[in-house]
Amino acid sequence: MKDIENSIKNSKNLSELEEIRVNLFGKKGIITQGFAKLKELDGEEKKTFAANLNAQRDSLSELLNLKKLEFEQEELNVKMKKEAYDITLFNELSSSGALHPITITMNKIIDYFVSQNFSVEEGPLIEDDFHNFEALNLPKYHPARDMQDTFYFDNGSLLRTHTSPVQIRTMQNQKPPIRMIAPGSVFRRDLDLTHTPMFHQVEGLVVENGNSVSFANLKYMLEDFLIHMFGDVKVRFRPSFFPFTEPSTEVDISCIFCGGKGCRVCSNSGWLEVLGSGIVDPNVFEFVGYKDVSGYAFGLGVERFAMLLHQVPDLRSMFEGDLRLLEQFRW
Ligand code: PHE
């Protein structure tokens, strides 16, 4: 009995232990055979033999179970140690992520306007003709629609070509005064060195009751914004045309690469075009049911800002996901 107990205690692993268990409790095991022997005994002798055998069976199986538990625990400990992660560990191969240059630029733009009390509005990417064109003073078959080559769906809906429809939706849902920007992706059928079928815009709209909004307000705000984005630049407004604003202007900054002297990036003009803007056309207000209001609007392409800020020469590289480009934007 002592021998068996010792062999259990000294067993080295689960399979050794299993062998001992079979030797005791298997078909031909010592304890099993002992019970078989009971048949051959009678009376008092049978009683004591049985009592002994039961006691042995109980104590041995308890011992076996305890030892088994011990092995299982050990095994678990080894496994846990092997699989443990040291989250404080740092090695050369670990690398942090990075925000995409478009996101970085978008955030910088949004930060400015939020600081100036603009709300940030969103709208659907799939638009209808009314919100994307008609309400923006772009009637069907108007030649100005060609400025924005459009992806249409069979049912007549379309991928928004600018975020201006968000301004229409905001005016439909809110009363003036309004002070909002609409950041987001837009889509046009265009692909070359400087155009991709999807790009990002931030457009803004300010509407006040009465005729208190003037071009001077627009000019002040955009100059302040462009200096926030590009540092110490000169800003110039050029007359232009947009169907939804009148008067309309395109806005240039002095070239940030040559300081206005003229270089390859600014085609030797000394200026870089960065924005479209203007005083909201009264027709637009009519479409959304606004009366006796005045306002200004502006719109910009985020990719263009990102390319200028981070000196990325090819627009397409913004969307190729090449790690060599993206890694340069790691914090
Ligand atoms: N919606 C114009 C575009 O996408 C940008 C713009 C907005 C111009 C507001 C003027 C005023 O081209």
Side-chain angles (χ1 to χ4, degrees):
M1 183 64 185
K2 266 267 162 280
D3 284 358
I4 301 176
E5 278 175 13
N6 280 337
S7 72
I8 294 177
K9 279 182 193 151
N10 297 330
S11 65
K12 291 198 184 57
N13 52 42
L14 272 174
S15 67
E16 258 185 55
L17 197 65
E18 177 62 11
E19 211 173 290
I20 299 172
R21 193 190 64 79
V22 172
N23 281 339
L24 292 171
F25 299 109
K27 259 192 192 141
K28 291 185 182 145
I30 302 169
I31 303 287
T32 320
Q33 304 243 306
F35 279 108
K37 228 193 221 154
L38 268 181
K39 273 185 270 166
E40 296 160 20
L41 300 173
D42 280 322
E44 221 26 54
E45 202 185 356
K46 183 172 185 170
K47 230 182 186 171
T48 35
F49 191 83
N52 260 333
L53 202 58
N54 276 331
Q56 279 178 356
R57 181 199 57 195
D58 290 349
S59 85
L60 286 174
S61 64
E62 189 179 319
L63 215 57
L64 275 171
N65 285 339
L66 281 176
K67 193 70 186 172
K68 189 170 175 213
L69 218 63
E70 207 177 284
F71 282 133
E72 283 170 351
Q73 193 60 47
E74 247 170 51
E75 204 169 274
L76 189 66
N77 283 344
V78 171
K79 198 170 164 201
M80 293 216 299
K81 253 196 199 130
K82 216 164 72 187
E83 291 176 358
Y85 291 108
D86 180 354
I87 53 168
T88 66
L89 211 61
F90 175 84
N91 73 34
E92 299 283 294
L93 293 174
S94 328
S95 64
S96 57
L99 290 179
H100 193 278
I102 302 292
T103 309
I104 297 173
T105 309
M106 188 86 115
N107 288 346
K108 188 168 178 185
I109 296 169
I110 293 174
D111 282 350
Y112 173 82
F113 287 106
V114 167
S115 81
Q116 302 294 313
N117 267 339
F118 281 70
S119 68
V120 179
E121 307 288 346
E122 286 182 349
L125 303 187
I126 297 175
E127 267 296 0
D128 52 48
D129 196 88
F130 177 78
H131 290 91
N132 196 82
F133 289 128
E134 205 118 348
L136 289 156
N137 202 26
L138 268 152
K140 285 204 172 61
Y141 310 114
H142 192 287
R145 285 200 180 198
D146 293 349
M147 288 164 76
Q148 304 181 355
D149 218 345
T150 312
F151 289 109
Y152 285 97
F153 294 98
D154 287 343
N155 65 3
S157 56
L158 49 88
L159 289 177
R160 68 178 185 194
T161 57
H162 46 183
T163 58
S164 305
V166 183
Q167 310 182 359
I168 300 296
R169 289 180 182 278
T170 307
M171 287 193 280
Q172 285 176 325
N173 294 326
Q174 295 175 27
K175 289 198 177 80
I178 293 218
R179 207 173 163 78
M180 58 153 289
I181 52 166
S185 40
V186 300
F187 307 85
R188 292 182 198 178
R189 294 177 50 167
D190 242 341
L191 182 62
D192 60 33
L193 258 177
T194 51
H195 296 89
T196 49
M198 188 280 303
F199 61 101
H200 298 83
Q201 281 191 330
V202 177
E203 294 205 2
L205 172 72
V206 168
V207 184
E208 296 281 352
N209 285 305
N211 58 2
S212 57
V213 175
S214 75
F215 202 90
N217 300 136
L218 170 65
K219 188 163 179 284
Y220 175 85
M221 196 277 301
L222 285 183
E223 273 174 3
D224 193 48
F225 163 63
L226 290 170
I227 287 165
H228 164 84
M229 293 303 292
F230 295 104
D232 191 16
V233 286
K234 284 201 221 72
V235 178
R236 116 182 147 173
F237 289 73
R238 272 184 297 109
S240 184
F241 170 79
F242 297 105
F244 25 86
T245 47
E246 180 61 35
S248 304
T249 56
E250 272 168 327
V251 185
D252 301 340
I253 54 170
S254 51
C255 180
I256 52 175
F257 298 102
C258 62
K261 284 201 271 307
C263 66
R264 201 175 51 86
V265 185
C266 62
S267 312
N268 279 318
S269 70
W271 296 95
L272 299 165
E273 184 196 320
V274 288
L275 268 164
S277 68
I279 297 294
V280 180
D281 193 297
N283 286 347
V284 174
F285 288 139
E286 213 166 291
F287 274 112
V288 296
Y290 273 15
K291 285 199 178 67
D292 300 322
V293 294
S294 54
Y296 64 70
F298 56 91
L300 63 89
V302 181
E303 278 74 6
R304 174 135 177 91
F305 273 55
M307 286 170 76
L308 291 175
L309 283 172
H310 300 292
Q311 302 182 24
V312 181
D314 184 345
L315 173 62
R316 290 169 298 190
S317 64
M318 290 286 191
F319 305 111
E320 280 166 354
D322 189 331
L323 286 178
R324 286 169 302 178
L325 176 93
L326 300 176
E327 275 170 351
Q328 297 175 47
F329 294 92
R330 221 183 257 157
W331 323 293

